[in-house]
Amino acid sequence: MRLTTGQAIVRFLANQWSERDGVRQRFFAGCFGIFGHGNVAGIGEALLEYGQDLPYYQARNEQAMVHTAVGFARAHDRLRAFACTSSIGPGATNMVTGAALATVNRIPVLLLPGDVFATRVANPVLQELEDPRSYDVSVNDAFKPVSRFWDRINRPEQLPSALLAAMRVLTDPAETGAVTLALPQDVQAEAYDWPEELFAERVWHVARPVPEPAALARAAELIRGAERPLIVAGGGVIYSRATDELRAFAEATGVPVGETQAGKGSLPWDHPQAAGAIGATGTTAANALAREADVVIGVGTRYSDFTTASRSLFGRARFVNLNVAAFDAAKHAGVSLVADAAAGLAGLRGALEGWSVPEAYREETRERVGRWNAVVDEAFHPSEEGLPAQAEVLGLVGEAARECDVVVCAAGSMPGDLHRLWRPRDPKGYHVEYGYSCMGYEIAGGLGVKMALDEGGDTGREVFVMVGDGSYLMMSSELVTAVQEGVKLIVVLVQNHGFASIGNLSESVGAQRFGTRYRYRTGSGLDGEVLPVDLAANAASLGARVFTARTAPELRDALARARAASGTTVVHVETDPLRPAPDGEAWWDVPVAEVSGLDTVREARARYEKDKQAQRPYL
């Protein structure tokens, strides 16, 4: 079959399917792209010719389109994905941040950046990086450390093996992340006689590895000897759709469950064993249980520093690590249980039949969670006048959202507040990107989530995108894409005139909120009047319908109007950044300057050295 390399790629991608638990679905939903001289005649021409097989979606920013692809794949539990194509040079390097985000979060996305001429007949071409050490280097080599698989297709003959390797990684829960195939622009347009078998329909079976019996016995033995065990539920619980198994295990054994950012929603927030968020942005209930836990059962978690409060949270615990990836299962010298989360939990429940924690421990969990819920109720209580606190905003959004709706966030102070305060009942109702904590993910990621919901027929499920002014200014461009595609988002734009999260962090390390306020420059620095930036007008100029609010009652009304609207809306609300949300009483290791002439820094260093004494190696 004589096709160009670009055409062959599109034809191949259109015929890839995934299957798990007997459910079969097309793996690629389409291809996002921004065209330039590096891909317009190759992948671009192929998408034009074969668009009925692999739909094309126009993006506004290359980083953002990768974020949208990540949001889509995460909403589909990694069983569906998008490809993303760019031109060479800045179009390609713009995608590097998105690639890192996908790989850190273990989410599949296929990246197809254009590259320089493989034949070198016209080098250096426009936007080519000339490396005097080798003509085989281009900017696309920057994708290597942030990709789970990387290859450059210098000859058409190399394509079949590269495509099959790419699909193996994309559909492997233990290996998945960004996959990059760098495509020299001359090779994209080159014709070749391909074997027809390359374009045959292929089904990639996503397995559920079962635990090894001996490893299961070791894990069960350690848990049976525990008096105060605690489960840490990570993203693997959600992606493997193991929430029913987790609930059955928790109810049978009475073990309380703390949730990571990616695992939030693993249990309904009001379940008797649900202790809430855990770690640096956790609840007082979950963190208190963690400090006294003797065995921690990690399920599908990679134990980030936020989850372990920089290894200061689990004071005397031993670990049982159930994870599909051996890399994560071996962490903290734990008893390693390499298996699918659902299969592993079912195996543990069988091995622990008849065993339960003491009733007093169940009661302690209920009491601690009850006290925390009372704190949240108070924080959510809206004031009638003045600028609302951020916690009040979250409470009002929670009031406007139904159980089936989704909240999306990524960076700043809101992810921490959402982790502690948000009350999901649906496993897919909480979508916060916090592996990479990437400013600018919010709107683009929310677009991907909503596209996934609409595609699956869940058109009535609203997506509430929570974004601060700092993240909005970094990347609001995909509002235009949402408007173009007729995808409805409810974007809650929280304006506090600066970097609220880093402002708080700066103050905690003695740096006096330096460089975190959006102010005019004066003779003494950026400490003048607030900048006259009108983000509401900006959002309106991008095609969104905008509602503004300055008080809690106005915000309640604006959210109701946004729900009733048919297209993408932005609810712009100013908040009081100096009214913090309730704290979960945990630490995060951010080093403080060891010597300084500033009193604030010296005081912060003294606190840091005291807090650091709680760290341990988990060996």
Side-chain angles (χ1 to χ4, degrees):
M1 185 177 293
R2 192 161 182 81
L3 299 169
T4 68
T5 301
Q7 293 163 358
I9 291 171
V10 170
R11 291 286 300 274
F12 175 87
L13 298 182
N15 280 310
Q16 305 308 300
W17 296 70
S18 69
E19 178 276 326
R20 187 173 69 180
D21 299 335
V23 178
R24 182 174 171 274
Q25 53 196 321
R26 196 179 295 274
F27 188 71
F28 288 104
C31 182
F32 285 103
I34 297 177
F35 297 122
H37 67 284
N39 64 343
V40 66
I43 294 292
E45 186 281 336
L47 289 169
L48 169 65
E49 187 169 355
Y50 298 107
Q52 73 278 8
D53 300 321
L54 190 73
Y56 164 69
Y57 293 86
Q58 187 180 62
R60 270 72 197 171
N61 179 285
E62 290 90 354
Q63 180 190 146
M65 70 186 182
V66 182
H67 294 337
T68 301
V70 168
F72 179 90
R74 179 173 166 179
H76 274 294
D77 292 324
R78 307 189 294 198
L79 298 172
R80 301 204 71 206
F82 264 95
C84 296
T85 181
S86 76
S87 186
I88 72 171
T93 54
N94 278 352
M95 294 200 296
V96 172
T97 295
L101 181 145
T103 295
V104 167
N105 287 282
R106 287 80 183 283
I107 303 295
V109 59
L110 176 62
L111 307 179
L112 304 172
D115 212 325
V116 299
F117 278 62
T119 54
R120 303 178 185 169
V121 295
N123 290 20
V125 298
L126 178 64
Q127 300 175 330
E128 178 175 353
L129 172 73
E130 288 191 276
D131 189 328
R133 298 167 299 177
S134 170
Y135 286 123
D136 195 38
V137 173
S138 80
V139 296
N140 286 339
D141 288 76
F143 284 98
K144 287 181 177 178
V146 295
S147 298
R148 296 296 289 167
F149 178 80
W150 183 98
D151 200 5
R152 179 178 282 123
I153 312 303
N154 286 311
R155 290 294 307 142
E157 294 92 328
Q158 298 170 343
L159 183 64
S161 60
L163 287 173
L164 293 173
M167 287 304 304
R168 175 190 63 80
V169 173
L170 289 168
T171 57
D172 185 340
E175 292 291 326
T176 196
V179 167
T180 301
L181 299 182
L183 302 173
Q185 55 187 296
D186 52 345
V187 178
Q188 287 185 51
E190 183 177 346
Y192 183 75
D193 292 322
W194 308 93
E196 291 187 7
E197 294 85 352
L198 180 63
F199 311 112
E201 189 174 285
R202 278 184 172 78
V203 179
W204 299 84
H205 301 282
V206 181
R208 290 192 180 276
V210 298
E212 179 196 8
L216 187 63
R218 289 192 293 270
E221 181 183 9
L222 182 59
I223 296 169
R224 279 185 178 276
E227 296 180 357
R228 301 181 61 84
L230 174 69
I231 294 170
V232 175
V237 175
I238 306 291
Y239 302 142
S240 68
R241 299 178 184 171
T243 54
D244 288 344
E245 283 293 348
L246 177 65
R247 181 198 293 251
F249 180 89
E251 290 174 352
T253 63
V255 179
V257 177
E259 298 170 328
T260 71
Q261 282 280 13
K264 191 171 176 69
S266 295
L267 285 183
W269 72 272
D270 54 355
H271 188 277
Q273 270 69 54
I278 197 165
T281 53
T283 71
T284 55
N287 287 344
L289 294 170
R291 289 188 187 94
E292 299 178 15
D294 51 4
V295 172
V296 172
I297 308 165
V299 185
T301 177
R302 64 190 187 97
Y303 289 117
S304 75
D305 66 334
F306 260 62
T307 298
T308 67
S310 299
R311 301 195 183 189
S312 69
L313 189 58
F314 305 112
R316 60 189 182 93
R318 295 185 63 189
F319 293 84
V320 171
N321 300 327
L322 167 57
N323 205 293
V324 73
F327 175 77
D328 293 313
K331 288 178 177 176
H332 303 326
V335 174
S336 178
L337 195 59
V338 179
D340 168 77
L345 284 167
L348 279 175
R349 182 158 56 93
L352 293 169
E353 187 173 359
W355 176 86
S356 174
V357 302
E359 180 58 35
Y361 189 45
R362 291 179 185 250
E363 182 58 30
E364 179 187 343
T365 299
R366 288 191 289 268
E367 289 178 358
R368 289 187 183 277
V369 171
R371 289 197 294 271
W372 173 253
N373 285 338
V375 171
V376 176
D377 289 340
E378 180 63 27
F380 278 172
H381 186 70
S383 54
E384 293 299 314
E385 298 179 354
L387 297 179
Q390 186 162 275
E392 293 175 38
V393 172
L394 301 187
L396 288 168
V397 174
E399 180 184 301
R402 296 168 303 178
E403 291 182 8
C404 63
D405 293 337
V406 184
V407 63
V408 176
C409 193
S413 60
M414 275 192 287
D417 290 351
L418 282 165
H419 193 209
R420 291 190 192 96
L421 307 178
W422 195 255
R423 292 171 162 175
R425 291 182 183 274
D426 188 290
K428 305 302 289 185
Y430 184 86
H431 184 114
V432 172
E433 189 287 300
Y434 215 58
Y436 208 46
S437 185
C438 186
M439 296 178 70
Y441 174 86
E442 295 88 346
I443 293 172
L447 172 61
V449 173
K450 184 59 173 170
M451 289 175 68
L453 294 175
D454 289 352
E455 175 195 73
D458 293 328
T459 54
R461 296 183 71 172
E462 301 286 5
V463 172
F464 289 85
V465 174
M466 307 296 300
V467 60
D469 51 326
S471 279
Y472 180 89
L473 284 167
M474 286 211 176
M475 195 171 294
S476 57
S477 56
E478 300 320 296
L479 278 176
V480 180
T481 307
V483 171
Q484 179 182 41
E485 296 291 341
V487 176
K488 181 185 177 183
L489 300 176
I490 299 175
V491 179
V492 181
L493 172 52
V494 176
Q495 168 69 281
N496 49 42
H497 303 287
F499 300 120
S501 174
I502 301 304
N504 293 334
L505 180 62
S506 173
E507 193 168 50
S508 74
V509 299
Q512 304 173 17
R513 295 182 177 262
F514 176 71
T516 65
R517 301 180 180 93
Y518 295 162
R519 303 290 189 273
Y520 279 110
R521 182 174 296 281
T522 68
S524 56
L526 299 176
D527 56 3
E529 294 296 316
V530 171
L531 298 178
V533 177
D534 191 341
L535 297 184
N538 176 266
S541 76
L542 298 178
R545 187 175 180 184
V546 178
F547 304 107
T548 60
R550 286 185 58 85
T551 65
E554 290 177 0
L555 177 58
R556 180 182 281 114
D557 178 66
L559 290 167
R561 293 163 69 191
R563 279 207 76 104
S566 58
T568 287
T569 61
V570 172
V571 177
H572 179 272
V573 56
E574 287 203 48
T575 60
D576 183 348
L578 300 181
R579 294 172 58 195
D583 183 64
E585 300 176 1
W587 180 63
W588 184 38
D589 190 348
V590 177
V592 180
E594 193 167 358
V595 296
S596 175
L598 300 173
D599 290 341
T600 53
V601 176
R602 289 196 295 270
E603 292 167 3
R605 179 68 192 191
R607 292 193 301 270
Y608 175 75
E609 291 177 352
K610 179 181 178 181
D611 290 337
K612 199 168 178 64
Q613 294 175 11
Q615 272 185 319
R616 54 170 293 218
Y618 292 158
L619 295 175

